[in-house]
Amino acid sequence: MTKLSEIYVTGLKNAHAMEHEALAIMEPQVASIKNYPEVAQRLQQHLEETKGQILRLESLLERAGAQKSALKDIAMGAGGTIAALGHKLAPDEIVKNSFANFAFEHYEIAAYKSLIALARAQNDSDAVATLTTTLDEEIAMSEWLDYNIEPLTLQFATLREQGLHSKN
């Protein structure tokens, strides 16, 4: 295996673990959202996309003759769980989750752009296409979050002013 291939495979393993972290962050959010059905619906959609992204990454790892890193998957999943728990205590949990999700989407976008560059450097057009599909999903989620941060914040404030449960 060339150094380039080693870097690429490491990136695939890292992305696989990153997506497990995303699941660990989103699953509790979806389960607890009550007053923001459009947020719950979009997170659920992205949760399903993320499961598909994991399968695509596993396929790319298999094509490269590598396996996912169970240790990285567990560690990143645990990190995501801890991150999700950190916002549970906040009175503005839904808003803080929105910030964190927006930041995490940009982390994922950067990771997929890097993987695409490595796949291109190896002239692997199939991998480029597969990774671009995932990148497009991450960009779409980031754009949705960006568009909805202000309305979500105002909805939170309105519910709070009305004395209604606004946390999630």
Side-chain angles (χ1 to χ4, degrees), residues 18-151:
M18 172 185 69
E19 294 302 350
H20 278 278
E21 182 179 9
L23 289 178
I25 290 169
M26 285 187 291
E27 285 172 339
Q29 289 180 25
V30 170
S32 68
I33 293 176
K34 295 173 184 67
N35 293 318
Y36 306 86
E38 62 285 343
V39 175
Q41 179 183 8
R42 185 61 178 101
L43 282 175
Q44 182 62 47
Q45 177 187 341
H46 196 56
L47 197 60
E48 296 306 315
E49 290 171 346
T50 301
K51 291 174 184 176
Q53 293 166 2
I54 288 170
L55 293 175
R56 288 193 293 267
L57 287 165
E58 288 172 357
S59 173
L60 290 172
L61 282 165
E62 187 177 308
R63 281 184 55 221
Q67 295 180 350
K68 62 187 178 186
S69 172
L71 182 60
K72 283 183 183 184
D73 289 353
I74 291 167
M76 295 291 277
T81 299
I82 291 167
L85 289 173
H87 292 168
K88 275 286 187 208
L89 303 174
D92 59 347
E93 176 187 3
I94 190 76
V95 177
K96 285 202 173 40
N97 282 342
S98 178
F99 300 164
N101 292 344
F102 184 73
F104 196 79
E105 290 304 321
H106 284 272
Y107 177 77
E108 290 176 307
I109 289 166
Y112 286 109
K113 286 181 176 184
S114 178
L115 282 169
I116 289 167
L118 292 168
R120 279 193 182 118
Q122 297 181 102
N123 297 314
D124 189 344
S125 59
D126 290 339
V128 169
T130 298
L131 293 165
T132 299
T133 297
T134 298
L135 175 61
D136 290 345
E137 291 169 350
E138 300 299 0
I139 290 170
M141 184 63 183
S142 172
E143 289 173 348
W144 186 90
L145 288 162
D146 186 34
Y147 181 79
N148 284 282
I149 286 173
E150 291 177 31

